[in-house]
Amino acid sequence: MASAAKCARCLTGPTMPALASRMLSQRIVPLVTAYAAPANAASFSTTSADAAGANVRRVTYIGKHIRRGKINQNARKKRDNVKVKKPAPGERKAFRKRITLSNNNALAVDGLEDAAPETFASEEAKGTMVALPDQLVDQLRALEAFKTTQCWSLFRKPHVLVREETVKLTKRLNTAVTERQTLRMILTGDKIAGKSMLLLQSMAYALLNNWVVINIPEAQDLTNANTDYSPVPNTKPMQFYQPTYCFNLLQHIIKANGPILKQHKISKEYPELLHVPKDGTLFDIANSAKEPEFAWPAFQALWSELTTAPGGPPVFLGLDGLSHIMKVSAYRDPTFNLVHSHDLSLVRLFVDALSGKTPLANGGAIIAATSRNNAPRSLSLDLALAQTAAAARNEFVPTPDPYKKGYDDRVYESVRNVETFNVSGISREEARAVMEYWAASGLLRARVDATSVSEKWTIAGGGILGELERASLLNSRVLQ
């Protein structure tokens, strides 16, 4: 009976799992409900239970993290995004290449003469500072002869030093025009010795004497693949021209040499040029290119007139950064092979003139300046320049290193017979003239005498012009 009763009780009563779950549910009480006291519980306050219950802080569980009775939400704060106006296309490049040629805060230096056509070739002007006339400044600016690394913005107006190298070079230019010869020269020298400044003075002399000046300010712009290019039809090996660069170059030529180009008539007709009359002038040829795709034929016609037509003006063709065009460029041909710089038509034109393949019928000069700041190394160019300099001094002529690779026959043949002109430091007298000009402009606040000049000249490595500027202007102190 006991077993039967037990079995009946088991059958009629709840099962063990259900009973266990009910007992556990009665024992487990959520902690979040412990904040609210039961209605029939005794209060610790003397006030009524309703008033006490109204002040009790009730916190309910809403499924988020609760810390000290507050809901910590990881909501991001809205930030005020400041809208910045984006620069226009080409605005940053224009700001980077901006050149200021006058400073109204600088003191005006009186008593200095303006540059005349015969100033740069005069022995009396050696070691003096001369001012550049306003018209000449506009022409040089159009040719982009001024550099951003030169401190023109510190002075009231541009002045240049007529150094010994300036007189020598301008005399050579004068002789070339008198004898109707072509002066082919490469300016070499130490870093910041004044090669670009000497090239600027050569262009200033040519402009003052009614030459036609064509300048390529940065040779790297022709080879770094930053401008568009197109293949020249019917050329083998294939050559490429740069329409936009040629178009801009023609505009610079017109701005700098417009009055001179209008004085000379063309020697033959050019039916491929649409806007050139039969009795037109050189200005009409340069101005005939209204679109970039017509720039290269117009430039070819202008160059042909300047180099072959008798009775024309002398020509000055300058380039800065020679080593950039003495290597393989960054352009690629249709088979995706790298294009040599000499296969670019404008570079080919300059190299032919520099090597002597294209003589100038009316005389002139082809001058290129090397660079030590930003220049790729060309073994063939360095070898040719070293051989030319050694032969001029009657010294041992170096030969190619048989254990080195990288020699380029095309580069070597283009510069092997070109004269070199070494630009070194200035003399103490020239250094004193420059320092006195700096003192008169209000930049150098120190006594300029023989002792200070000798000190700065020595610190500048024997008169290196850029080092003299650093030693004098960047480390100057006010004398008490």
Side-chain angles (χ1 to χ4, degrees):
M1 291 296 293
S3 60
K6 184 177 181 180
C7 292
R9 188 169 57 249
C10 293
L11 293 175
T12 58
T15 59
M16 288 301 296
L19 181 62
S21 61
R22 186 172 62 183
M23 293 175 63
L24 289 175
S25 62
Q26 293 176 358
R27 293 175 59 186
I28 297 176
V29 179
L31 294 178
V32 294
T33 60
Y35 289 94
N40 55 357
S43 176
F44 291 97
S45 176
T46 57
T47 58
S48 61
D50 294 338
N55 295 329
V56 173
R57 183 178 182 183
R58 299 179 181 272
V59 180
T60 58
Y61 181 75
I62 59 176
K64 292 187 177 181
H65 178 66
I66 300 175
R67 183 180 181 184
R68 295 182 182 178
K70 297 182 180 179
I71 301 175
N72 186 12
Q73 297 180 353
N74 296 326
R76 295 182 179 179
K77 295 182 179 180
K78 294 183 179 180
R79 299 179 180 178
D80 296 334
N81 295 327
V82 180
K83 295 183 179 181
V84 181
K85 182 181 178 181
K86 295 182 179 180
E91 183 177 354
R92 286 180 292 186
K93 182 178 180 180
F95 181 80
R96 186 176 67 250
K97 298 180 66 175
R98 182 185 60 179
I99 297 176
T100 304
L101 298 179
S102 62
N103 187 356
N104 294 331
N105 295 325
L107 299 178
V109 182
D110 300 328
L112 298 180
E113 299 180 356
D114 290 344
E118 67 279 355
T119 300
F120 293 104
S122 175
E123 291 288 343
E124 291 76 11
K126 185 187 301 183
T128 60
M129 299 290 296
V130 295
L132 300 179
D134 295 338
Q135 182 180 358
L136 180 61
V137 170
D138 295 338
Q139 291 175 306
L140 292 174
R141 181 192 285 272
L143 294 172
E144 298 184 3
F146 300 102
K147 301 292 183 180
T148 56
T149 56
Q150 299 166 352
C151 55
W152 301 105
S153 61
L154 301 178
F155 306 97
R156 177 63 67 93
K157 63 179 301 184
H159 291 76
V160 294
L161 171 67
V162 182
R163 52 194 296 181
E164 183 179 359
E165 289 84 353
T166 305
V167 177
K168 289 182 179 180
L169 182 55
T170 50
K171 284 184 176 180
R172 295 291 306 277
L173 295 176
N174 190 18
T175 304
V177 174
T178 304
E179 300 178 358
R180 294 187 178 275
Q181 296 179 354
T182 303
L183 176 63
R184 300 179 292 112
M185 182 178 292
I186 297 177
L187 303 180
T188 61
D190 297 330
K191 184 179 178 181
I192 58 177
K195 298 181 291 295
S196 299
M197 184 64 68
L198 189 60
L199 185 64
L200 180 145
Q201 293 176 351
S202 303
M203 286 188 282
Y205 173 81
L207 290 171
L208 290 173
N209 289 273
N210 298 326
W211 292 28
V212 173
V213 180
I214 303 174
N215 181 41
I216 300 176
E218 291 292 343
Q220 62 179 344
D221 293 339
L222 293 174
T223 59
N224 57 8
N226 284 352
T227 182
D228 55 340
Y229 68 112
S230 300
V232 180
N234 303 324
T235 54
K236 191 175 182 180
M238 184 178 294
Q239 294 189 2
F240 302 86
Y241 72 98
Q242 295 149 303
T244 302
Y245 191 93
C246 292
F247 181 77
N248 295 332
L249 184 60
L250 283 175
Q251 301 303 315
H252 297 164
I253 294 173
I254 292 173
K255 291 180 181 179
N257 309 280
I260 302 175
L261 296 176
K262 292 179 180 179
Q263 298 175 4
H264 298 275
K265 299 288 185 178
I266 60 177
S267 60
K268 60 181 180 180
E269 298 181 5
Y270 295 93
E272 66 275 10
L273 303 180
L274 301 178
H275 304 282
V276 179
K278 295 182 179 180
D279 57 344
T281 61
L282 299 181
F283 181 85
D284 296 328
I285 294 179
N287 198 33
S288 63
K290 305 300 181 181
E291 298 293 337
E293 55 265 23
F294 304 108
W296 175 241
F299 188 84
Q300 279 185 311
L302 178 63
W303 182 249
S304 177
E305 288 287 337
L306 293 174
T307 55
T308 59
V315 180
F316 182 96
L317 180 59
L319 180 140
D320 201 352
L322 178 63
S323 59
H324 286 281
I325 64 172
M326 297 297 171
K327 65 181 185 66
V328 178
S329 70
Y331 292 99
R332 294 186 180 271
D333 60 6
T335 59
F336 207 69
N337 294 323
L338 291 173
V339 177
H340 197 279
S341 297
H342 292 187
D343 290 332
L344 302 174
S345 58
L346 191 57
V347 175
R348 181 77 261 171
L349 182 144
F350 181 86
V351 170
D352 289 343
L354 184 64
S355 61
K357 294 181 180 180
T358 306
L360 302 178
N362 303 294
I366 313 296
I367 299 180
T370 59
S371 177
R372 300 293 182 183
N373 291 328
N374 176 27
R377 186 178 181 184
S378 176
L379 296 178
S380 300
L381 176 63
D382 296 341
L383 176 63
L385 296 180
Q387 289 178 345
T388 305
R393 296 191 300 265
N394 295 326
E395 298 178 355
F396 173 75
V397 178
T399 58
D401 190 347
Y403 298 100
K404 282 188 177 180
K405 297 181 180 180
Y407 289 100
D408 193 339
D409 294 336
R410 300 178 67 179
V411 173
Y412 180 75
E413 292 296 330
S414 62
V415 295
R416 60 178 302 184
N417 296 321
V418 183
E419 180 184 355
T420 59
F421 190 90
N422 185 46
V423 182
S424 58
I426 60 178
S427 62
R428 285 183 171 86
E429 292 76 13
E430 295 169 349
R432 179 159 190 165
V434 173
M435 293 177 64
E436 289 177 350
Y437 170 73
W438 291 341
S441 299
L443 293 178
L444 181 59
R445 300 184 180 182
R447 185 182 297 109
V448 180
D449 52 11
T451 303
S452 61
V453 170
S454 179
E455 175 188 353
K456 301 300 182 183
W457 184 87
T458 305
I459 294 176
I464 300 298
L465 196 56
E467 297 293 346
L468 181 65
E469 177 187 337
R470 292 177 179 177
S472 302
L473 300 185
L474 300 184
N475 298 322
S476 60
R477 295 186 304 174
V478 180
L479 295 179
Q480 300 296 334

